[in-house]
Amino acid sequence: PERPALPASEWSFQAKLPTADESRGLGTGKADFALQLTLFQRYGDFVLFASGGYRFIGKNPPDYILRNGATAGVGLSWIPLEGWSLGASYDWRQAIAKTLPADAVTRDALVTADDGHELVFFGSVPLGAWLKASPYGVVGLSDGSPNFALGAQLQLSIPIRPEEPAP
């Protein structure tokens, strides 16, 4: 619950389903998972937030090594109508790829890829009591990030305790 002096917290579990073509090297063929803690504080129609988490990679292909890694972010969102939001954040994630140089013989001769640094612009639109659609756009700030990306998420929020009736 939100309190004036303390930030609220939210734990989230994320699953990235294996939709990319593994045979073309576009994915691993396995799901990836992440746990994240977000702290947020509302100030009128604005919400300041910070998050930290950890990603678990589902599978390592034979020609390169993927590793689990940390994530973090900070941002601000605006609530023009209850349940709706627009915002922006700066997100960082630890590089998951280690690539083998052409002359490498063992896994000890690995080169680490760059961490991801991104600006993310997002919105959120309610589709029901527990369901939201969240389109987003990404601008990459490092070689470890895409130059740009567009996407959408469906968010299912299940309350862990019943809502209190209004007085």
Side-chain angles (χ1 to χ4, degrees):
E2 295 182 42
R3 294 184 178 97
L6 298 173
S9 62
E10 174 182 85
W11 282 97
S12 63
F13 170 78
Q14 301 163 357
K16 184 177 77 61
L17 302 178
T19 58
D21 188 346
E22 181 181 6
S23 66
R24 293 177 49 204
L26 299 175
T28 64
K30 297 291 181 186
D32 297 339
F33 302 97
L35 291 173
Q36 181 173 293
L37 172 63
T38 302
L39 300 176
F40 56 94
Q41 184 68 47
R42 188 169 178 169
Y43 299 97
D45 292 339
F46 294 91
V47 178
L48 182 63
F49 60 90
S51 64
Y54 201 78
R55 292 180 303 163
F56 301 92
I57 306 303
K59 176 183 174 185
N60 278 307
D63 53 345
Y64 54 94
I65 296 170
L66 301 178
R67 60 183 176 178
N68 301 332
T71 64
V74 61
L76 181 70
S77 66
W78 171 54
I79 304 169
L81 300 168
E82 196 59 41
W84 295 64
S85 67
L86 295 171
S89 67
Y90 165 78
D91 290 349
W92 166 85
R93 69 180 178 283
Q94 188 176 18
I96 63 166
K98 286 187 171 184
T99 56
L100 291 170
D103 61 343
V105 179
T106 69
R107 290 181 177 232
D108 296 333
L110 297 177
V111 175
T112 303
D114 291 340
D115 289 351
H117 298 271
E118 302 167 349
L119 292 177
V120 180
F121 302 93
F122 59 88
S124 185
V125 178
L127 299 177
W130 294 3
L131 190 63
K132 290 184 179 185
S134 299
Y136 62 88
V138 177
V139 176
L141 303 175
S142 70
D143 288 340
S145 297
N147 292 336
F148 67 91
L150 296 173
Q153 294 179 344
L154 283 177
Q155 298 173 319
L156 177 63
S157 299
I158 302 171
I160 56 174
R161 62 183 141 171
E163 292 186 23
E164 298 177 17

